[in-house]
Amino acid sequence: MFKTSQAKIILSVFVFIFVSNCATNPFTGNKTMAIVPNNQILPMSFQQYEQVKEQSTIITETPRAEMIKRIGNEIAQAAEQWLDANGYKNYTDNYKWEFVLIDENTVNAWAMPGGKVAFYTGILPVAANENGIATIMGHEVAHALANHGQQRMSASTLQQSLGVVGGAIFSEDQQQQEYFNLAYGLGSQYLGMLPFSRKHETEADEIGLKLMAIAGYDPDEGSELWKRMDQASGGNKPPEFLSTHPSTENRIENLNRMSSLAKEEAKKFGVTKFKPNTPISD
């Protein structure tokens, strides 16, 4: 039978692995979880991205598809500028930037580790203009640059491993084990994983606004975009503590605050004027 002393030893090993496998977020300077290394994550990410493309209808060589590529590449270039200027010149050497438009009426966009980004046609009416696209694109590029995918995988690995160890500690008492599994499952989700995800969303908003501003897009559009997002959702969203994302109200407030910081960052790169709100062409 699994002994408590053995569980403590394994727990100590997990703590050691966690402490010794950290990366640095270049935008915040904070240490982040990197239990699963990028040399494992990126090949899987690129493969999964290709599978999504094979299973989807990809729009190419249209004004909208070209706009997605153009804005994506402009923001990726802005990221390279920022990283070079802040001592991270080779940070994206293993990235393979790609930006595709998928023909599907889904209000969504996402990024995979290593710079693979997808937009759905369903989000274009909410984006409304090129500054809106740049807001979404900056957010997704920021997820990729901040290694949020790696952190989520690492956190999930840690969550599952600690659950196994905790369950083993109480293995001699079935009732206590059941209580632990219930408490740990709820606690780690609502007090751990969900706040962790909301932090990533806020972080991606802030980084994304800076990158779009450096690329010449108006960061004031960030809060306007989320007002449109709120209208599109009809207010049908769960309470913040049950969600992977911040509440719309908090997000709009944060984006308004972050916009001035993004403009100050853009000035460091000689950007003081921003592109107009050009409507998305058909």
Side-chain angles (χ1 to χ4, degrees):
M1 185 176 290
F2 201 94
K3 301 297 184 182
T4 301
S5 58
Q6 293 175 306
K8 289 180 178 178
I9 291 171
I10 295 176
L11 182 59
S12 298
V13 171
F14 280 125
V15 171
F16 172 78
I17 291 172
F18 168 72
V19 172
S20 60
N21 288 273
C22 290
T24 301
N25 183 328
F27 296 94
T28 65
N30 295 331
K31 294 292 183 181
T32 60
M33 286 187 290
I35 295 173
V36 185
N38 270 335
N39 60 12
Q40 292 182 24
I41 293 174
L42 297 191
M44 291 190 296
S45 171
F46 298 156
Q47 183 179 15
Q48 289 173 6
Y49 190 73
E50 291 303 315
Q51 290 175 352
V52 171
K53 287 165 57 179
E54 289 173 5
Q55 296 166 4
S56 306
T57 302
I58 306 299
I59 299 175
T60 60
E61 299 179 358
T62 67
R64 290 185 170 190
E66 292 304 314
M67 173 196 64
I68 294 297
K69 288 183 180 179
R70 170 173 54 81
I71 295 176
N73 283 315
E74 287 173 348
I75 290 180
Q77 290 170 8
E80 300 290 350
Q81 283 183 274
W82 191 95
L83 290 164
D84 288 354
N86 287 274
Y88 293 91
K89 190 172 182 62
N90 301 315
Y91 186 81
T92 59
D93 282 356
N94 295 322
Y95 281 52
K96 296 180 181 179
W97 294 108
E98 188 173 355
F99 309 93
V100 298
L101 179 62
I102 297 175
D103 188 10
E104 185 175 319
N105 190 27
T106 301
V107 183
N108 195 22
W110 46 262
M112 284 185 171
K116 301 296 187 180
V117 179
F119 269 65
Y120 292 89
T121 53
I123 203 170
L124 299 183
V126 182
N129 57 65
E130 292 196 1
N131 280 314
I133 292 290
T135 301
I136 300 167
M137 187 68 75
H139 178 91
E140 300 304 335
V141 166
H143 274 313
L145 290 169
N147 284 327
H148 287 162
Q150 179 189 56
Q151 292 178 53
R152 285 193 296 272
M153 289 181 68
S154 297
S156 179
T157 299
L158 187 64
Q159 179 194 34
Q160 293 171 18
S161 300
L162 291 176
V164 170
V165 173
I169 290 174
F170 295 102
S171 61
E172 297 179 3
D173 187 320
Q174 184 177 356
Q175 188 175 39
Q176 283 191 352
Q177 187 181 51
E178 290 175 356
Y179 287 154
F180 168 80
N181 289 338
L182 178 61
Y184 179 77
L186 293 173
S188 64
Q189 183 69 6
Y190 294 112
L191 301 178
M193 298 299 286
L194 290 179
F196 190 61
S197 179
R198 290 194 294 270
K199 179 183 176 182
H200 282 173
E201 292 301 315
T202 300
E203 189 172 275
D205 280 347
E206 183 169 4
I207 297 168
L209 285 190
K210 290 179 180 179
L211 296 181
M212 70 179 287
I214 294 170
Y217 293 94
D218 189 351
D220 285 345
E221 186 64 19
S223 59
E224 296 303 315
L225 169 73
W226 275 97
K227 290 175 185 177
R228 296 194 293 272
M229 286 282 195
D230 190 42
Q231 291 176 348
S233 72
N236 186 24
K237 291 185 177 181
E240 183 174 90
F241 78 96
L242 294 176
S243 177
T244 57
H245 289 59
S247 69
T248 302
E249 295 79 8
N250 285 338
R251 199 161 201 168
I252 291 171
E253 182 180 344
N254 285 335
L255 286 164
N256 277 324
R257 175 181 56 82
M258 294 171 183
S259 180
S260 60
L261 299 176
K263 291 176 182 179
E264 289 301 315
E265 195 70 19
K267 284 181 183 179
K268 298 176 185 177
F269 296 86
V271 180
T272 56
K273 294 183 179 180
F274 301 107
K275 300 173 184 180
N277 277 337
T278 305
I280 296 173
S281 58
D282 294 327

